[in-house]
Amino acid sequence: MCLCFRKCDVVNRGVSGYNTRWAKLILPRLITRSTSAESTVAVTIFFGANDSALKDLNPKQHVPLEEYSANLKSMIQYLKSVGITEDRIILITPPPLQELAWEKECLAKGDKLNRHNATTGEYAQACVQVARDCGTDVLDLWTLMQKDEDFSSYLSDGLHLSTKGNSFLAAQLWSRLEKKLSALPSLLPYWRDVDHTNPEASLV
């Protein structure tokens, strides 16, 4: 994503293990009212893999489907309230679950399989519907990854993205960001354009 360089900063606020119930509460601390909305190119919201955990086997992370949708809408509404418009918000669905691989991880910890791909798919569909209802963009990772018959290579352990999976996500996301970024001015000149005899003139 070299086009980001000299044009904008990428701020990562991903928190391992969190669900939308918790994310909704901390969002105002991550993006405050004092944040310059005008300079925000895009905000991604990427939740669902933990929310879709089975209630009986993982009650701590599980969030009911209807609440998941409501939490996504709440986060979108908050972003709008601080000046970040719908066209700059991108929802990302949870990726698919490779049950056999994730079951091995669970069994190794003495647990039962605590997620199902079909259930994750319901949350992915809900995420897509929220995007339609709220007018935001959406990246349906759950569907896109399963176009590859062997999508397991996108996952490191059946649940979390592998290096290949992260590259796939980045490429899909980039196609949605490239147009937004191409219109931005460069904040710093290309090195060949710097006046080496008087760098202050080019850089200060």
Side-chain angles (χ1 to χ4, degrees), residues 7-73:
K7 289 195 171 188
C8 64
D9 296 322
V10 178
V11 182
N12 182 4
R13 289 292 180 264
V15 187
S16 175
Y18 273 50
N19 55 32
T20 56
R21 183 182 292 162
W22 303 343
K24 179 181 72 170
L25 297 176
I26 66 169
L27 182 59
R29 291 165 54 190
L30 305 179
I31 300 178
T32 65
R33 291 184 182 276
S34 62
T35 302
S36 179
E38 289 182 4
S39 65
T40 300
V41 177
V43 175
T44 60
I45 301 176
F46 186 11
F47 287 97
N50 295 319
D51 298 70
S52 61
L54 302 178
K55 182 179 181 180
D56 293 344
L57 296 172
N58 189 349
K60 185 167 186 174
Q61 290 180 304
H62 170 79
V63 172
L65 186 60
E66 288 186 7
E67 184 189 341
Y68 168 72
S69 295
N71 290 340
L72 289 178
K73 290 179 180 178

Side-chain angles (χ1 to χ4, degrees), residues 134-178:
C134 296
T136 71
D137 199 353
V138 64
L139 171 50
D140 186 357
L141 206 56
W142 190 84
T143 298
L144 288 170
M145 283 188 165
Q146 289 186 97
K147 288 183 178 179
D148 187 335
E149 288 185 14
D150 182 19
F151 63 86
S152 61
S153 61
Y154 293 128
L155 306 165
S156 62
D157 55 9
L159 173 66
H160 301 97
L161 296 180
S162 63
T163 299
K164 182 180 178 181
N166 278 305
S167 296
F168 180 88
L169 170 58
Q172 294 294 327
L173 190 57
W174 185 244
S175 68
R176 289 158 170 79
L177 293 175
E178 191 170 13

